Amino acid sequence: MRVESQPLVSMTNVEKHYGDFHALKNVNLDIAEREVVVVIGPSGSGKSTLCRTINRLETITSGSITIDGKELPAEGAALAELRSDVGMVFQSFNLFAHKTILENVTLGPIKVRKLSKSEADKQAMALLERVGVAHQADKYPAQLSGGQQQRVAIARSLAMKPKVMLFDEPTSALDPEMINEVLDVMEGLAKEGMTMVVVTHEMGFARKAAHRVVFMAEGEIVEVAEPEEFFTHPQSSRAKDFLSKILTN
Amino acid sequence: MDFLELLQMFLSGTWGTIKLFTVALVGSLVLGTVLAAMRVSPTPVLRIAASTYINVVRNTPLTLVMFFCAFGLPFLDIRFGSTSSFNSFVYATIALIAYTACFVAETLKSGIATIPVGQAEAARAVGLSFGQTLNEVVLPQAFRTVIPPLGSVIIAMLKNTSIASAFNNRELISAMRNAIEVRGDLVIPLLFGTAVAYLILALLLGRVFDYLERKLVILR
Ligand SMILES: Nc1ncnc2c1ncn2[C@@H]1O[C@H](COP(=O)(O)OP(=O)(O)OP(=O)(O)O)[C@@H](O)[C@H]1O
Ligand SMILES: [Mg+2]
């Protein structure tokens, strides 16, 4: 059984290099169960990289990342199993282009969780219902709007019953009128107590749903604060500078 | 020998060609897929083994590959049945599969390269293993994107079945040769007849691939 104080995700002294480029510099971050953490920062500051190291889509150069107390395993069956417990939602949706919406959601449960097709279908339809795209179940991803595709992507992650979900700019590729339909689903998840790491510049979401905002610049975590505190009284000059830029446009 | 007997000869030759083609088609798609999967695998040994095999066999004339199978395998006492005609059939299909699989693998690999990386990342993020990601997401999409070039490879293989005629196989070319031996006066019509038979088979195949291309197109 988990000790109450143990973080669900723990990053300790994490370093990441791309060749000569230092993408993550001594990153330390603990995320508690049921916590929602918003990661914010200028382009190229390492937000995606941070997000992707948590399910080892990117390997780290040194340091340690644990999920539920367990060190991320090397590539192989153990890593696949761990990834099934970590949901990921991408900026570009990445729905499987040759599969229907329903098949997108049932693939993981059938292949990884070994559910029967009928069980997986039933569960998937309930999830699609919940994100509001059940009537599109037999269509292909390209036949849906961006907002609908992203909601399907969230359902696909939820179908694995993840312990934690990672969102890498889930609304950045969407037309403005579709952003809220996705944020609404995410706020719902946050309310239900899903542990979430969300890279986003949507301050409304951060204010409503996040427990903490992590501000990154040049590969470092510069500031960690409660949302209200961060947006009204940023401490570092880089955060002030960044906020003044995103607020003016 | 009258017209009906000639026709019968040709029909049984065509049937021989179709048998060679069908077995070699299935075999080269399977082996080609395995080779393509090895080519993109994270294990260096598999990658090197596959690319070595492909580079060597692809650059060997098919006739020589057939010689290796038709003379090399019996020399090593590798036989598949009691009759020599069945053995010849198996040796020829092995040669066709070994050779065509290289082209299938290279075509598929070029298809894999066109699949956006996000597709495989999403599959891995859901918890699919490397093999499942390949089977469920990458290869099905790669196949669909390479249907037209794959069609060319398969039609080339159909024509390559003719080389088996030199290795004790009964197919279109051997039927034609036998017919010319008995009816030398009809050599020109017999040559044209054979060409037409290949043409019909190739055009039918082309139609199948056109249909598959339309049917399996991936919307992006
Ligand atoms: N595969 C890679 N190879 C080399 N450099 C990379 C690679 N991926 C990312 N980088 C670099 O690492 C830095 C951090 O990238 P990252 O994508 O994490 O930034 P980000 O904060 O998510 O930016 P954005 O807001 O533009 O998405 C960038 O400077 C980027 O150029
Ligand atoms: Mg990014």
Side-chain angles (χ1 to χ4, degrees):
Chain A
M1 236 178 78
R2 197 191 354 252
V3 186
E4 203 49 55
S5 62
Q6 179 185 299
L8 184 55
V9 178
S10 177
M11 305 179 77
T12 317
N13 302 331
V14 170
E15 306 276 346
K16 168 75 186 176
H17 293 263
Y18 288 113
D20 288 342
F21 185 78
H22 203 166
L24 291 181
K25 299 172 186 160
N26 192 32
V27 167
N28 288 281
L29 181 65
D30 283 352
I31 299 159
E33 200 173 349
R34 307 175 75 85
E35 191 180 18
V36 177
V37 173
V38 158
V39 182
I40 197 166
S43 179
S45 56
K47 307 179 298 291
S48 297
T49 307
L50 179 135
C51 206
R52 292 161 56 87
T53 56
I54 297 176
N55 67 353
R56 214 171 180 276
L57 280 182
E58 288 309 338
T59 55
I60 57 178
T61 316
S62 66
S64 120
I65 300 177
T66 63
I67 292 183
D68 233 355
K70 287 193 287 278
E71 193 77 27
L72 287 189
E75 204 69 46
L79 181 61
E81 189 181 327
L82 178 129
R83 283 190 181 128
S84 70
D85 289 334
V86 180
M88 180 140 198
V89 175
F90 302 84
Q91 180 173 347
S92 49
F93 330 134
N94 294 346
L95 293 180
F96 306 127
H98 65 305
K99 291 192 179 286
T100 64
I101 298 308
L102 184 65
E103 289 165 348
N104 263 274
V105 182
T106 57
L107 181 66
I110 290 172
K111 293 290 162 188
V112 180
R113 298 275 189 251
K114 309 294 178 199
L115 258 57
S116 71
K117 189 180 174 312
S118 66
E119 278 175 290
D121 281 354
K122 211 171 111 198
Q123 178 201 303
M125 286 311 295
L127 285 167
L128 290 173
E129 195 75 57
R130 166 172 175 186
V131 299
V133 281
H135 56 296
Q136 317 268 31
D138 295 325
K139 292 196 177 164
Y140 285 88
Q143 296 172 302
L144 269 58
S145 74
Q148 291 170 330
Q149 288 191 54
Q150 195 60 300
R151 285 181 280 147
V152 173
I154 294 173
R156 175 175 68 180
S157 285
L158 287 175
M160 302 305 289
K161 303 196 164 68
K163 293 177 183 161
V164 48
M165 286 185 74
L166 312 171
F167 293 82
D168 188 3
E169 304 209 31
T171 58
S172 298
L174 298 177
D175 292 336
E177 74 272 18
M178 294 175 185
I179 291 178
N180 280 329
E181 62 194 48
V182 172
L183 291 179
D184 286 348
V185 172
M186 292 168 57
E187 277 163 30
L189 285 175
K191 274 208 196 78
E192 284 169 25
M194 176 62 78
T195 310
M196 295 162 71
V197 178
V198 185
V199 178
T200 185
H201 292 167
E202 294 293 332
M203 285 197 280
F205 173 82
R207 283 202 154 97
K208 264 186 269 181
H211 301 104
R212 278 191 296 166
V213 171
V214 169
F215 174 73
M216 290 186 77
E218 291 166 42
E220 283 177 291
I221 294 185
V222 178
E223 227 175 298
V224 182
E226 286 183 9
E228 213 43 58
E229 178 67 15
F230 177 76
F231 291 120
T232 49
H233 302 294
Q235 299 297 306
S236 63
S237 60
R238 280 190 285 191
K240 284 177 194 161
D241 189 43
F242 173 75
L243 284 175
S244 71
K245 275 183 193 140
I246 63 168
L247 287 174
T248 50
N249 54 38
Chain B
M1 191 180 258
D2 65 15
F3 177 75
L4 264 181
E5 282 172 305
L6 283 177
L7 186 68
Q8 206 179 5
M9 214 162 167
F10 264 84
L11 284 179
S12 88
T14 306
W15 176 237
T17 293
I18 290 174
K19 274 197 299 190
L20 275 170
F21 170 78
T22 310
V23 178
L25 172 69
V26 174
S28 55
L29 287 178
V30 171
L31 181 60
T33 307
V34 171
L35 286 170
M38 288 169 70
R39 286 277 262 150
V40 297
S41 106
T43 317
V45 184
L46 294 179
R47 280 203 305 272
I48 294 168
S51 72
T52 308
Y53 173 87
I54 289 169
N55 280 321
V56 170
V57 178
R58 188 169 62 148
N59 293 308
T60 307
L62 176 56
T63 311
L64 186 54
V65 178
M66 287 255 181
F67 268 107
F68 267 105
C69 292
F71 294 96
L73 293 179
F75 181 78
L76 296 172
D77 234 9
I78 300 172
R79 282 171 230 281
F80 299 90
S82 47
T83 64
S84 85
S85 71
F86 181 73
N87 276 315
S88 298
F89 175 81
V90 178
Y91 296 146
T93 50
I94 289 176
L96 280 168
I97 290 168
Y99 181 78
T100 312
C102 298
F103 296 89
V104 171
E106 285 301 281
T107 309
L108 260 181
K109 191 177 154 258
S110 72
I112 291 173
T114 67
I115 310 300
V117 289
Q119 294 286 307
E121 281 185 350
R124 287 156 67 208
V126 166
L128 266 59
S129 65
F130 175 79
Q132 288 174 323
T133 300
L134 217 49
N135 274 333
E136 298 293 330
V137 176
V138 178
L139 285 175
Q141 293 192 32
F143 258 110
R144 288 159 198 235
T145 57
V146 299
I147 287 173
L150 199 58
S152 308
V153 168
I154 299 307
I155 287 172
M157 189 192 69
L158 169 71
K159 294 181 283 182
N160 283 339
T161 56
S162 61
I163 297 178
S165 67
F167 298 87
N168 186 31
N169 274 279
R170 302 178 63 78
E171 42 71 78
L172 262 168
I173 296 292
S174 65
M176 177 193 76
R177 263 210 321 259
N178 293 340
I180 292 174
E181 260 168 42
V182 287
R183 291 297 303 264
D185 55 322
L186 291 179
V187 61
I188 299 295
L190 288 172
L191 288 171
F192 272 109
T194 312
V196 168
Y198 276 109
L199 192 64
I200 291 171
L201 292 177
L203 289 176
L204 281 175
L205 258 183
R207 292 289 288 273
V208 171
F209 275 93
D210 282 349
Y211 171 79
L212 289 176
E213 190 188 355
R214 263 181 290 119
K215 177 93 181 163
L216 298 175
V217 66
I218 304 174
L219 302 168
R220 288 205 190 271

